[in-house]
């Protein structure tokens, strides 16, 4: 998958990046989401330092990612346990024949 150049605006700055073309829209959405989060954080906290606000937003995003990974792992564990139970049930049915 080859990359192609894309320009996104984050906090009023134009960033030129390489990104697979089929992911351009996602990258634009991510940039917009970041902008919105930073602006909301500035409004909510009154912190003027962009660097500090970016650090807080990055920490929040990292925390959300960790929560999503944990939730995904829990769902995966439930699916694996269910499949094992199903497999055991099928083996018992086959043994009874």
């Amino acid at each position: 998958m080859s990359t192609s150049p894309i320009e996104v605006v984050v906090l009023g700055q134009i960033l030129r990046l390489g990104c697979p073309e089929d992911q351009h829209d996602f990258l634009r959405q991510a940039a917009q989401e970041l902008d919105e989060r930073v602006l909301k954080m500035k409004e909510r906290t009154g912190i003027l330092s962009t660097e500090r606000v970016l650090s807080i937003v990055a920490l929040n995003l990292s925390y959300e990612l960790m929560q999503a990974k944990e939730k995904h792992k829990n769902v995966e564990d439930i699916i694996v346990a269910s499949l094992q139970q199903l497999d055991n049930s099928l083996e018992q049915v086959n043994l009874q024949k």
Side-chain angles (χ1 to χ4, degrees), residues 8-57:
V8 294
V9 179
V10 177
L11 303 174
Q13 297 181 16
I14 296 174
L15 301 175
R16 291 174 184 83
L17 307 166
C19 176
E21 199 164 319
D22 63 340
Q23 295 179 18
H24 281 199
D25 287 338
F26 292 117
L27 186 58
R28 284 188 185 96
Q29 289 173 3
Q32 184 177 359
E33 173 77 14
L34 179 60
D35 261 350
E36 290 171 6
R37 285 177 179 248
V38 169
L39 291 175
K40 285 179 186 175
M41 184 63 67
K42 279 186 172 186
E43 290 172 1
R44 196 167 64 233
T45 63
I47 297 172
L48 299 176
S49 167
T50 300
E51 186 175 300
R52 185 168 170 85
V53 172
L54 278 170
S55 295
I56 294 168
V57 169

Side-chain angles (χ1 to χ4, degrees), residues 25 71 77 81:
D25 287 338
K71 183 177 179 181
D77 290 346

Side-chain angles (χ1 to χ4, degrees), residues 22 24 31 33 60 62 65 68-72 85:
D22 63 340
H24 281 199
E33 173 77 14
N60 286 343
S62 180
L65 178 61
K69 284 181 178 180
E70 183 64 25
K71 183 177 179 181
H72 181 268
Q85 285 179 332

Side-chain angles (χ1 to χ4, degrees), residues 74-92:
N74 290 340
V75 169
E76 188 177 307
D77 290 346
I78 290 169
I79 291 171
V80 167
S82 296
L83 287 173
Q84 287 175 339
Q85 285 179 332
L86 181 59
D87 189 47
N88 290 340
S89 296
L90 289 173
E91 283 182 21
Q92 288 177 0

